[in-house]
Amino acid sequence: MSNKKTFYKTTWFMWLALILFAPAGIVLLWVYHKQYSKNVKIILSAIFAIFFIIEIIVGNSTDNTIQTANTPETTIIPANETVPEPTSKPDTEPTPEQEQDEKIDVVLDVSVNKNNGKPIFTINTNLPDETDLMLTLKGNKYTGQTHAIVENGVAVSEAFSSKGKAISGKYTLSVSMSEPKFQSDNVRATIGENGENMSGKYVKTSDVNNSKFINGDFDFSLSLPEDVFDFSDYDEVYKDIDISNLKIKYGELLSVVYNDGTVVVKTKIEPSYNNNATIAQNYFNVADLVKNHGFNTCKKLSYWAVADMSDGTEGKCISFDLNKKIIKELYNENIVENKLGEYTTDLWILPSLQN
């Protein structure tokens, strides 16, 4: 009888089986190879079992990928629908009609919030966001300018005023957009590098470089608040002024009379904490009327105040006049209000207040 081992009992076949098909190799290791210790067999079995599991996982993933890549996409179309005809690839070059659609027929729709004599203008437009508009308001020897930036199709101005004071009368608002080179990149992307995409009645062409810009004029009649007056427009020689909406800072306003360019103001005051303060409150009254209520428009202002006397009668306690030059200086804040008495004419103060 031959002592030659059957091939599957050999060591080389065991190792080949472990590599190619680990479960068979592990069985051969434990059954026919007693030369390896138990610990060695456990280690080898664990190692080749792990390799075998990894091979299975990797193999399944690869198969799924190949199958997905090679499987054509199937679209199921209901029986009552027809298969759409394939369309040709659109031409990448815009047609003349498409180019025409990109043109902007510029719209400027301007409205005003009179804002108590300090108007705020709103411009609704189809110009792109970030467009920088210049707004210029002119009229009645007044000129004011401000910028407004278009956002979501709307540009809103700051309030126009004359040194913080209300304005009234007929005005023209000019809305303009400078040449495109002064606008942002986003704006030029829409209107064109030279404004060539803009058209309409507000679009003008520069004589210098043929670039486009915008300019439009809009007329407005601005009225004053009910407590602000413009005496320069009065045609009457004499007129009692409606003071129902007018208040003074200290005391009670009794009457205002216009008399051929001179405005006469009569008030009733209360004593203050000392004589100087009682006198000064009249200067503050006049300064408020001149700066905030249109009394700077009169040629001359005559002011006098009464108060209740200690004997129960009502008597005059102070009076003075302001000429046109002093009124203008006071309006322009070149005179300190509580020092106004130094600039008045015909100043009279009740002797008891001078103590």
Side-chain angles (χ1 to χ4, degrees):
M1 181 179 292
S2 175
N3 291 327
K4 187 177 180 180
K5 289 184 179 181
T6 308
F7 73 93
Y8 57 81
K9 294 180 181 181
T10 60
T11 302
W12 68 267
F13 186 79
M14 177 201 72
W15 285 105
L16 182 63
L18 284 171
I19 295 171
L20 298 179
F21 189 68
I26 292 171
V27 172
L28 295 175
L29 172 65
W30 284 89
V31 173
Y32 298 111
H33 297 276
K34 301 186 183 297
Q35 72 270 27
Y36 296 110
S37 65
K38 182 177 180 181
N39 289 338
V40 172
K41 291 180 179 180
I42 292 174
I43 293 172
L44 291 174
S45 298
I47 291 173
F48 284 99
I50 292 172
F51 286 158
F52 181 73
I53 293 172
I54 293 174
E55 289 176 356
I56 293 175
I57 294 173
V58 173
N60 288 339
S61 175
T62 303
D63 290 344
N64 290 337
T65 302
I66 295 173
Q67 181 178 358
T68 302
N70 293 332
T71 302
E73 182 178 355
T74 303
T75 302
I76 300 176
I77 302 177
N80 59 346
E81 293 187 12
T82 58
V83 179
E85 293 292 332
T87 57
S88 59
K89 184 178 179 180
D91 195 351
T92 56
E93 293 295 326
T95 64
E97 290 77 10
Q98 288 173 326
E99 291 182 348
Q100 183 65 31
D101 290 341
E102 294 175 359
K103 297 288 186 181
I104 301 174
D105 188 359
V106 175
V107 174
L108 296 176
D109 184 8
V110 184
S111 59
V112 62
N113 173 3
K114 295 184 178 180
N115 189 36
N116 291 326
K118 300 176 182 179
I120 297 173
F121 294 92
T122 299
I123 301 94
N124 289 280
T125 181
N126 57 347
L127 289 169
D129 286 358
E130 300 182 15
T131 300
D132 186 357
L133 299 176
M134 172 66 78
L135 309 184
T136 304
L137 187 65
K138 290 185 177 181
N140 290 347
K141 300 180 180 179
Y142 168 87
T143 299
Q145 280 189 330
T146 186
H147 286 268
I149 306 300
V150 176
E151 182 177 354
N152 296 324
V154 179
V156 181
S157 76
E158 297 178 351
F160 286 88
S161 65
S162 177
K163 297 182 178 179
K165 312 301 188 302
I167 58 177
S168 66
K170 294 182 178 180
Y171 291 83
T172 297
L173 180 73
S174 294
V175 180
S176 60
M177 186 202 80
S178 58
E179 294 183 15
K181 65 181 180 181
F182 299 112
Q183 299 292 328
S184 70
D185 292 341
N186 290 336
V187 173
R188 292 199 303 274
T190 301
I191 67 174
E193 288 298 320
N194 295 302
E196 62 272 13
N197 294 336
M198 298 189 301
S199 62
K201 63 180 180 179
Y202 302 116
V203 179
K204 318 296 181 183
T205 301
S206 171
D207 294 331
V208 177
N209 54 17
N210 289 326
S211 66
K212 302 291 183 66
F213 63 96
I214 291 172
N215 188 75
D217 292 336
F218 305 86
D219 295 327
F220 291 92
S221 180
L222 304 176
S223 59
L224 293 172
E226 294 180 344
D227 63 345
V228 178
F229 302 87
D230 185 356
F231 298 108
S232 63
D233 287 342
Y234 280 30
D235 296 328
E236 302 92 337
V237 175
Y238 181 92
K239 181 178 182 180
D240 284 315
I241 306 301
D242 180 7
I243 59 172
S244 57
N245 294 301
L246 181 61
K247 300 291 186 292
I248 57 174
K249 296 190 71 172
Y250 299 99
E252 177 187 359
L253 181 62
L254 299 179
S255 67
V256 175
V257 175
Y258 175 82
N259 187 4
D260 195 21
T262 298
V263 176
V264 181
V265 179
K266 182 178 180 181
T267 67
K268 183 175 182 179
I269 62 171
E270 298 288 339
S272 189
Y273 58 88
N274 62 36
N275 287 345
N276 287 335
T278 300
I279 295 172
Q281 64 184 347
N282 298 282
Y283 302 148
F284 293 134
N285 281 341
V286 170
D288 179 60
L289 292 173
V290 168
K291 293 180 179 181
N292 300 313
H293 298 284
F295 282 62
N296 60 302
T297 58
C298 64
K299 297 178 181 178
K300 179 181 177 181
L301 193 152
S302 291
Y303 176 93
W304 58 294
V306 300
D308 292 329
M309 301 297 157
S310 57
D311 61 0
T313 63
E314 183 180 274
K316 186 172 75 168
C317 57
I318 186 173
S319 66
F320 54 85
D321 295 337
L322 297 180
N323 60 36
K324 183 64 177 179
K325 178 181 178 181
I326 299 303
I327 292 172
K328 182 178 180 181
E329 291 295 307
L330 179 61
Y331 178 79
N332 291 329
E333 300 184 352
N334 294 325
I335 296 176
V336 179
E337 294 180 0
N338 63 355
K339 301 294 184 181
L340 182 59
E342 300 175 8
Y343 301 89
T344 63
T345 56
D346 297 328
L347 175 63
W348 182 89
I349 300 175
L350 185 70
S352 61
L353 290 176
Q354 301 182 50
N355 298 331

Short mmCIF file of all heavy atoms in Angstrom, two decimals, residues 28-81:
data_model
loop_
_atom_site.label_atom_id
_atom_site.label_comp_id
_atom_site.label_asym_id
_atom_site.label_seq_id
_atom_site.Cartn_x
_atom_site.Cartn_y
_atom_site.Cartn_z
N LEU A 28 -10.49 21.99 5.97
CA LEU A 28 -9.29 21.18 5.79
C LEU A 28 -8.26 21.44 6.88
O LEU A 28 -7.57 20.53 7.35
CB LEU A 28 -8.68 21.45 4.42
CG LEU A 28 -9.53 21.04 3.19
CD1 LEU A 28 -8.85 21.49 1.89
CD2 LEU A 28 -9.77 19.53 3.17
N LEU A 29 -8.13 22.72 7.27
CA LEU A 29 -7.18 23.08 8.33
C LEU A 29 -7.46 22.34 9.62
O LEU A 29 -6.55 21.78 10.26
CB LEU A 29 -7.23 24.60 8.56
CG LEU A 29 -6.44 25.14 9.74
CD1 LEU A 29 -4.94 24.92 9.54
CD2 LEU A 29 -6.74 26.63 9.95
N TRP A 30 -8.73 22.29 10.01
CA TRP A 30 -9.09 21.69 11.31
C TRP A 30 -9.13 20.17 11.26
O TRP A 30 -8.84 19.49 12.25
CB TRP A 30 -10.46 22.23 11.77
CG TRP A 30 -10.35 23.65 12.31
CD1 TRP A 30 -10.45 24.79 11.61
CD2 TRP A 30 -10.07 24.01 13.65
NE1 TRP A 30 -10.28 25.89 12.40
CE2 TRP A 30 -10.04 25.42 13.72
CE3 TRP A 30 -9.84 23.30 14.83
CZ2 TRP A 30 -9.80 26.11 14.89
CZ3 TRP A 30 -9.62 24.02 16.01
CH2 TRP A 30 -9.58 25.42 16.03
N VAL A 31 -9.44 19.60 10.08
CA VAL A 31 -9.61 18.15 10.03
C VAL A 31 -8.28 17.42 9.79
O VAL A 31 -7.98 16.40 10.44
CB VAL A 31 -10.63 17.77 8.94
CG1 VAL A 31 -10.70 16.26 8.76
CG2 VAL A 31 -12.00 18.34 9.29
N TYR A 32 -7.44 17.92 8.87
CA TYR A 32 -6.30 17.13 8.41
C TYR A 32 -4.93 17.68 8.83
O TYR A 32 -3.91 17.08 8.50
CB TYR A 32 -6.33 17.03 6.87
CG TYR A 32 -7.56 16.31 6.36
CD1 TYR A 32 -8.55 17.00 5.66
CD2 TYR A 32 -7.71 14.93 6.59
CE1 TYR A 32 -9.67 16.33 5.19
CE2 TYR A 32 -8.84 14.29 6.11
CZ TYR A 32 -9.81 14.98 5.42
OH TYR A 32 -10.90 14.32 4.97
N HIS A 33 -4.90 18.76 9.48
CA HIS A 33 -3.60 19.36 9.78
C HIS A 33 -3.42 19.58 11.28
O HIS A 33 -3.56 20.68 11.79
CB HIS A 33 -3.42 20.68 8.99
CG HIS A 33 -3.42 20.48 7.52
ND1 HIS A 33 -2.29 20.11 6.82
CD2 HIS A 33 -4.44 20.56 6.61
CE1 HIS A 33 -2.59 20.00 5.54
NE2 HIS A 33 -3.92 20.25 5.38
N LYS A 34 -3.12 18.47 11.92
CA LYS A 34 -2.97 18.51 13.36
C LYS A 34 -1.64 19.08 13.80
O LYS A 34 -1.36 19.26 14.99
CB LYS A 34 -3.13 17.09 13.92
CG LYS A 34 -4.48 16.47 13.57
CD LYS A 34 -4.66 15.13 14.25
CE LYS A 34 -5.98 14.47 13.86
NZ LYS A 34 -7.12 15.26 14.28
N GLN A 35 -0.72 19.34 12.82
CA GLN A 35 0.59 19.92 13.17
C GLN A 35 0.47 21.36 13.67
O GLN A 35 1.40 21.89 14.25
CB GLN A 35 1.55 19.86 11.98
CG GLN A 35 1.25 20.81 10.84
CD GLN A 35 0.32 20.20 9.81
OE1 GLN A 35 -0.48 19.30 10.16
NE2 GLN A 35 0.39 20.65 8.57
N TYR A 36 -0.71 22.01 13.38
CA TYR A 36 -0.90 23.37 13.84
C TYR A 36 -1.61 23.35 15.20
O TYR A 36 -2.53 22.55 15.41
CB TYR A 36 -1.74 24.18 12.85
CG TYR A 36 -1.07 24.35 11.50
CD1 TYR A 36 -1.55 23.69 10.37
CD2 TYR A 36 0.05 25.18 11.39
CE1 TYR A 36 -0.94 23.84 9.14
CE2 TYR A 36 0.68 25.32 10.16
CZ TYR A 36 0.18 24.67 9.04
OH TYR A 36 0.79 24.82 7.83
N SER A 37 -1.18 24.22 16.07
CA SER A 37 -1.83 24.29 17.39
C SER A 37 -3.23 24.89 17.25
O SER A 37 -3.57 25.51 16.23
CB SER A 37 -1.00 25.13 18.35
OG SER A 37 -0.96 26.48 17.90
N LYS A 38 -3.99 24.72 18.31
CA LYS A 38 -5.36 25.22 18.30
C LYS A 38 -5.39 26.74 18.12
O LYS A 38 -6.22 27.28 17.38
CB LYS A 38 -6.06 24.82 19.60
CG LYS A 38 -7.53 25.27 19.65
CD LYS A 38 -8.18 24.77 20.94
CE LYS A 38 -9.65 25.19 21.00
NZ LYS A 38 -10.29 24.74 22.24
N ASN A 39 -4.49 27.44 18.79
CA ASN A 39 -4.47 28.92 18.69
C ASN A 39 -4.15 29.38 17.27
O ASN A 39 -4.73 30.33 16.76
CB ASN A 39 -3.45 29.49 19.66
CG ASN A 39 -3.90 29.35 21.11
OD1 ASN A 39 -5.09 29.21 21.38
ND2 ASN A 39 -2.95 29.38 22.04
N VAL A 40 -3.20 28.65 16.63
CA VAL A 40 -2.85 29.00 15.26
C VAL A 40 -4.05 28.80 14.33
O VAL A 40 -4.33 29.61 13.45
CB VAL A 40 -1.64 28.19 14.77
CG1 VAL A 40 -1.40 28.42 13.28
CG2 VAL A 40 -0.40 28.54 15.56
N LYS A 41 -4.76 27.68 14.53
CA LYS A 41 -5.93 27.41 13.70
C LYS A 41 -7.00 28.49 13.87
O LYS A 41 -7.66 28.89 12.91
CB LYS A 41 -6.49 26.03 14.04
CG LYS A 41 -5.59 24.88 13.61
CD LYS A 41 -6.23 23.54 13.99
CE LYS A 41 -5.36 22.36 13.54
NZ LYS A 41 -5.97 21.07 13.90
N ILE A 42 -7.21 28.94 15.11
CA ILE A 42 -8.22 29.98 15.37
C ILE A 42 -7.86 31.27 14.65
O ILE A 42 -8.69 31.91 14.00
CB ILE A 42 -8.37 30.22 16.88
CG1 ILE A 42 -8.99 28.98 17.56
CG2 ILE A 42 -9.22 31.47 17.15
CD1 ILE A 42 -9.03 29.06 19.07
N ILE A 43 -6.59 31.63 14.74
CA ILE A 43 -6.14 32.87 14.10
C ILE A 43 -6.29 32.79 12.59
O ILE A 43 -6.82 33.71 11.94
CB ILE A 43 -4.69 33.17 14.49
CG1 ILE A 43 -4.60 33.49 16.00
CG2 ILE A 43 -4.14 34.34 13.67
CD1 ILE A 43 -3.18 33.61 16.52
N LEU A 44 -5.80 31.67 12.00
CA LEU A 44 -5.91 31.52 10.56
C LEU A 44 -7.37 31.50 10.10
O LEU A 44 -7.73 32.08 9.06
CB LEU A 44 -5.19 30.24 10.11
CG LEU A 44 -3.65 30.25 10.22
CD1 LEU A 44 -3.07 28.89 9.88
CD2 LEU A 44 -3.05 31.31 9.30
N SER A 45 -8.20 30.82 10.85
CA SER A 45 -9.63 30.74 10.49
C SER A 45 -10.26 32.13 10.51
O SER A 45 -11.05 32.49 9.62
CB SER A 45 -10.36 29.81 11.46
OG SER A 45 -9.85 28.50 11.38
N ALA A 46 -9.95 32.91 11.53
CA ALA A 46 -10.53 34.25 11.64
C ALA A 46 -10.07 35.15 10.50
O ALA A 46 -10.87 35.88 9.89
CB ALA A 46 -10.15 34.88 12.99
N ILE A 47 -8.79 35.08 10.19
CA ILE A 47 -8.24 35.95 9.14
C ILE A 47 -8.87 35.65 7.80
O ILE A 47 -9.36 36.54 7.08
CB ILE A 47 -6.71 35.80 9.07
CG1 ILE A 47 -6.05 36.39 10.33
CG2 ILE A 47 -6.16 36.49 7.82
CD1 ILE A 47 -4.56 36.14 10.42
N PHE A 48 -8.89 34.37 7.43
CA PHE A 48 -9.41 34.03 6.10
C PHE A 48 -10.93 34.15 6.03
O PHE A 48 -11.49 34.40 4.96
CB PHE A 48 -8.94 32.63 5.70
CG PHE A 48 -7.49 32.63 5.27
CD1 PHE A 48 -6.48 32.24 6.13
CD2 PHE A 48 -7.13 33.03 3.98
CE1 PHE A 48 -5.15 32.25 5.75
CE2 PHE A 48 -5.80 33.02 3.58
CZ PHE A 48 -4.80 32.64 4.45
N ALA A 49 -11.62 34.00 7.17
CA ALA A 49 -13.06 34.22 7.19
C ALA A 49 -13.38 35.70 6.92
O ALA A 49 -14.31 36.03 6.17
CB ALA A 49 -13.65 33.78 8.53
N ILE A 50 -12.59 36.60 7.51
CA ILE A 50 -12.80 38.03 7.28
C ILE A 50 -12.54 38.38 5.83
O ILE A 50 -13.30 39.11 5.19
CB ILE A 50 -11.89 38.85 8.22
CG1 ILE A 50 -12.34 38.70 9.67
CG2 ILE A 50 -11.90 40.33 7.82
CD1 ILE A 50 -11.40 39.31 10.68
N PHE A 51 -11.42 37.85 5.26
CA PHE A 51 -11.13 38.10 3.85
C PHE A 51 -12.25 37.62 2.95
O PHE A 51 -12.61 38.26 1.96
CB PHE A 51 -9.82 37.42 3.45
CG PHE A 51 -8.58 38.11 3.98
CD1 PHE A 51 -7.38 37.43 4.11
CD2 PHE A 51 -8.63 39.46 4.33
CE1 PHE A 51 -6.24 38.08 4.60
CE2 PHE A 51 -7.51 40.11 4.82
CZ PHE A 51 -6.30 39.42 4.96
N PHE A 52 -12.78 36.47 3.29
CA PHE A 52 -13.86 35.88 2.48
C PHE A 52 -15.10 36.78 2.51
O PHE A 52 -15.74 37.02 1.48
CB PHE A 52 -14.19 34.48 3.00
CG PHE A 52 -15.26 33.79 2.21
CD1 PHE A 52 -15.01 33.29 0.94
CD2 PHE A 52 -16.54 33.64 2.73
CE1 PHE A 52 -16.00 32.65 0.20
CE2 PHE A 52 -17.52 33.00 2.01
CZ PHE A 52 -17.26 32.51 0.74
N ILE A 53 -15.46 37.30 3.69
CA ILE A 53 -16.64 38.18 3.80
C ILE A 53 -16.43 39.47 3.01
O ILE A 53 -17.33 39.95 2.31
CB ILE A 53 -16.92 38.49 5.28
CG1 ILE A 53 -17.36 37.20 6.01
CG2 ILE A 53 -18.00 39.57 5.42
CD1 ILE A 53 -17.47 37.38 7.51
N ILE A 54 -15.22 40.04 3.09
CA ILE A 54 -14.92 41.26 2.34
C ILE A 54 -15.05 41.03 0.84
O ILE A 54 -15.58 41.87 0.09
CB ILE A 54 -13.51 41.77 2.69
CG1 ILE A 54 -13.47 42.25 4.14
CG2 ILE A 54 -13.08 42.90 1.76
CD1 ILE A 54 -12.08 42.63 4.63
N GLU A 55 -14.54 39.86 0.36
CA GLU A 55 -14.65 39.54 -1.06
C GLU A 55 -16.10 39.48 -1.51
O GLU A 55 -16.45 39.95 -2.61
CB GLU A 55 -13.96 38.21 -1.35
CG GLU A 55 -12.44 38.27 -1.25
CD GLU A 55 -11.80 36.91 -1.44
OE1 GLU A 55 -12.57 35.92 -1.59
OE2 GLU A 55 -10.56 36.82 -1.46
N ILE A 56 -16.96 38.94 -0.66
CA ILE A 56 -18.39 38.84 -1.03
C ILE A 56 -19.01 40.23 -1.15
O ILE A 56 -19.74 40.53 -2.10
CB ILE A 56 -19.14 37.99 0.02
CG1 ILE A 56 -18.66 36.53 -0.05
CG2 ILE A 56 -20.65 38.08 -0.21
CD1 ILE A 56 -19.27 35.64 1.01
N ILE A 57 -18.71 41.10 -0.15
CA ILE A 57 -19.29 42.45 -0.15
C ILE A 57 -18.83 43.24 -1.36
O ILE A 57 -19.61 43.88 -2.07
CB ILE A 57 -18.92 43.19 1.15
CG1 ILE A 57 -19.57 42.50 2.35
CG2 ILE A 57 -19.33 44.66 1.08
CD1 ILE A 57 -19.14 43.07 3.70
N VAL A 58 -17.52 43.23 -1.62
CA VAL A 58 -16.98 43.96 -2.75
C VAL A 58 -17.53 43.44 -4.07
O VAL A 58 -17.87 44.19 -4.99
CB VAL A 58 -15.44 43.91 -2.74
CG1 VAL A 58 -14.88 44.54 -4.02
CG2 VAL A 58 -14.89 44.63 -1.52
N GLY A 59 -17.65 42.14 -4.17
CA GLY A 59 -18.16 41.55 -5.40
C GLY A 59 -19.59 41.95 -5.68
O GLY A 59 -19.95 42.26 -6.81
N ASN A 60 -20.46 41.99 -4.64
CA ASN A 60 -21.86 42.38 -4.83
C ASN A 60 -21.98 43.84 -5.24
O ASN A 60 -22.79 44.21 -6.09
CB ASN A 60 -22.66 42.13 -3.55
CG ASN A 60 -22.88 40.64 -3.29
OD1 ASN A 60 -22.80 39.83 -4.22
ND2 ASN A 60 -23.16 40.28 -2.04
N SER A 61 -21.16 44.71 -4.63
CA SER A 61 -21.21 46.14 -4.95
C SER A 61 -20.82 46.38 -6.39
O SER A 61 -21.43 47.16 -7.12
CB SER A 61 -20.28 46.91 -4.01
OG SER A 61 -20.22 48.26 -4.37
N THR A 62 -19.80 45.71 -6.86
CA THR A 62 -19.34 45.86 -8.24
C THR A 62 -20.39 45.38 -9.23
O THR A 62 -20.65 46.01 -10.25
CB THR A 62 -18.04 45.08 -8.44
OG1 THR A 62 -17.08 45.55 -7.51
CG2 THR A 62 -17.51 45.29 -9.86
N ASP A 63 -21.04 44.27 -8.92
CA ASP A 63 -22.08 43.74 -9.81
C ASP A 63 -23.22 44.72 -9.96
O ASP A 63 -23.76 44.93 -11.04
CB ASP A 63 -22.58 42.40 -9.26
CG ASP A 63 -21.52 41.30 -9.40
OD1 ASP A 63 -20.56 41.52 -10.17
OD2 ASP A 63 -21.64 40.26 -8.71
N ASN A 64 -23.64 45.34 -8.82
CA ASN A 64 -24.76 46.28 -8.87
C ASN A 64 -24.41 47.51 -9.69
O ASN A 64 -25.23 48.04 -10.45
CB ASN A 64 -25.15 46.71 -7.45
CG ASN A 64 -25.81 45.57 -6.67
OD1 ASN A 64 -26.35 44.64 -7.27
ND2 ASN A 64 -25.75 45.65 -5.34
N THR A 65 -23.17 47.96 -9.56
CA THR A 65 -22.74 49.15 -10.31
C THR A 65 -22.74 48.87 -11.80
O THR A 65 -23.20 49.67 -12.61
CB THR A 65 -21.35 49.58 -9.85
OG1 THR A 65 -21.36 49.86 -8.46
CG2 THR A 65 -20.90 50.82 -10.62
N ILE A 66 -22.20 47.74 -12.18
CA ILE A 66 -22.13 47.38 -13.60
C ILE A 66 -23.53 47.24 -14.17
O ILE A 66 -23.84 47.69 -15.26
CB ILE A 66 -21.32 46.08 -13.78
CG1 ILE A 66 -19.86 46.34 -13.37
CG2 ILE A 66 -21.42 45.57 -15.21
CD1 ILE A 66 -19.01 45.09 -13.34
N GLN A 67 -24.43 46.62 -13.39
CA GLN A 67 -25.79 46.40 -13.88
C GLN A 67 -26.51 47.73 -14.08
O GLN A 67 -27.20 47.94 -15.06
CB GLN A 67 -26.55 45.52 -12.89
CG GLN A 67 -27.98 45.22 -13.36
CD GLN A 67 -28.69 44.30 -12.38
OE1 GLN A 67 -28.12 43.86 -11.40
NE2 GLN A 67 -29.95 44.02 -12.67
N THR A 68 -26.33 48.66 -13.13
CA THR A 68 -26.99 49.96 -13.23
C THR A 68 -26.49 50.74 -14.42
O THR A 68 -27.23 51.37 -15.16
CB THR A 68 -26.75 50.78 -11.95
OG1 THR A 68 -27.24 50.05 -10.84
CG2 THR A 68 -27.46 52.13 -12.03
N ALA A 69 -25.17 50.69 -14.65
CA ALA A 69 -24.59 51.45 -15.74
C ALA A 69 -25.01 50.92 -17.09
O ALA A 69 -25.16 51.68 -18.06
CB ALA A 69 -23.07 51.43 -15.63
N ASN A 70 -25.24 49.66 -17.17
CA ASN A 70 -25.55 49.05 -18.47
C ASN A 70 -27.03 48.92 -18.73
O ASN A 70 -27.44 48.45 -19.78
CB ASN A 70 -24.90 47.66 -18.55
CG ASN A 70 -23.37 47.77 -18.59
OD1 ASN A 70 -22.84 48.76 -19.06
ND2 ASN A 70 -22.68 46.74 -18.09
N THR A 71 -27.88 49.27 -17.74
CA THR A 71 -29.31 49.11 -17.91
C THR A 71 -29.90 50.37 -18.50
O THR A 71 -29.77 51.45 -17.91
CB THR A 71 -29.99 48.83 -16.55
OG1 THR A 71 -29.41 47.66 -16.00
CG2 THR A 71 -31.49 48.63 -16.74
N PRO A 72 -30.53 50.33 -19.65
CA PRO A 72 -31.10 51.54 -20.25
C PRO A 72 -32.29 52.04 -19.45
O PRO A 72 -33.03 51.26 -18.86
CB PRO A 72 -31.53 51.06 -21.65
CG PRO A 72 -31.76 49.58 -21.50
CD PRO A 72 -30.74 49.12 -20.48
N GLU A 73 -32.44 53.40 -19.40
CA GLU A 73 -33.54 54.00 -18.67
C GLU A 73 -34.82 53.80 -19.45
O GLU A 73 -34.89 54.03 -20.65
CB GLU A 73 -33.28 55.50 -18.47
CG GLU A 73 -34.36 56.19 -17.66
CD GLU A 73 -34.05 57.64 -17.43
OE1 GLU A 73 -32.95 58.06 -17.81
OE2 GLU A 73 -34.90 58.35 -16.88
N THR A 74 -35.86 53.37 -18.75
CA THR A 74 -37.14 53.09 -19.39
C THR A 74 -38.17 54.08 -18.90
O THR A 74 -38.32 54.28 -17.69
CB THR A 74 -37.61 51.66 -19.06
OG1 THR A 74 -36.59 50.74 -19.48
CG2 THR A 74 -38.92 51.35 -19.75
N THR A 75 -38.83 54.76 -19.81
CA THR A 75 -39.90 55.69 -19.47
C THR A 75 -41.24 55.05 -19.81
O THR A 75 -41.46 54.63 -20.95
CB THR A 75 -39.75 57.00 -20.26
OG1 THR A 75 -38.47 57.57 -19.96
CG2 THR A 75 -40.84 57.99 -19.88
N ILE A 76 -42.10 54.98 -18.81
CA ILE A 76 -43.42 54.36 -19.02
C ILE A 76 -44.39 55.45 -19.40
O ILE A 76 -44.58 56.43 -18.66
CB ILE A 76 -43.89 53.63 -17.75
CG1 ILE A 76 -42.88 52.54 -17.39
CG2 ILE A 76 -45.29 53.08 -17.94
CD1 ILE A 76 -43.21 51.82 -16.10
N ILE A 77 -45.00 55.34 -20.54
CA ILE A 77 -45.96 56.31 -21.03
C ILE A 77 -47.34 55.69 -20.99
O ILE A 77 -47.55 54.59 -21.50
CB ILE A 77 -45.61 56.74 -22.47
CG1 ILE A 77 -44.19 57.32 -22.51
CG2 ILE A 77 -46.64 57.73 -23.00
CD1 ILE A 77 -43.73 57.69 -23.89
N PRO A 78 -48.31 56.38 -20.33
CA PRO A 78 -49.66 55.84 -20.29
C PRO A 78 -50.20 55.60 -21.69
O PRO A 78 -49.82 56.26 -22.66
CB PRO A 78 -50.45 56.95 -19.57
CG PRO A 78 -49.42 57.70 -18.79
CD PRO A 78 -48.16 57.63 -19.61
N ALA A 79 -51.14 54.66 -21.76
CA ALA A 79 -51.67 54.24 -23.07
C ALA A 79 -52.40 55.37 -23.78
O ALA A 79 -52.45 55.41 -24.99
CB ALA A 79 -52.61 53.04 -22.89
N ASN A 80 -52.99 56.32 -22.99
CA ASN A 80 -53.77 57.39 -23.62
C ASN A 80 -52.92 58.60 -23.99
O ASN A 80 -53.44 59.63 -24.38
CB ASN A 80 -54.90 57.84 -22.70
CG ASN A 80 -54.37 58.34 -21.36
OD1 ASN A 80 -53.22 58.11 -21.04
ND2 ASN A 80 -55.24 58.99 -20.59
N GLU A 81 -51.59 58.51 -23.84
CA GLU A 81 -50.71 59.62 -24.21
C GLU A 81 -49.82 59.19 -25.36
O GLU A 81 -49.50 58.02 -25.52
CB GLU A 81 -49.84 60.04 -23.02
CG GLU A 81 -50.64 60.66 -21.89
CD GLU A 81 -49.72 61.23 -20.81
OE1 GLU A 81 -48.51 61.34 -21.08
OE2 GLU A 81 -50.23 61.55 -19.72
#
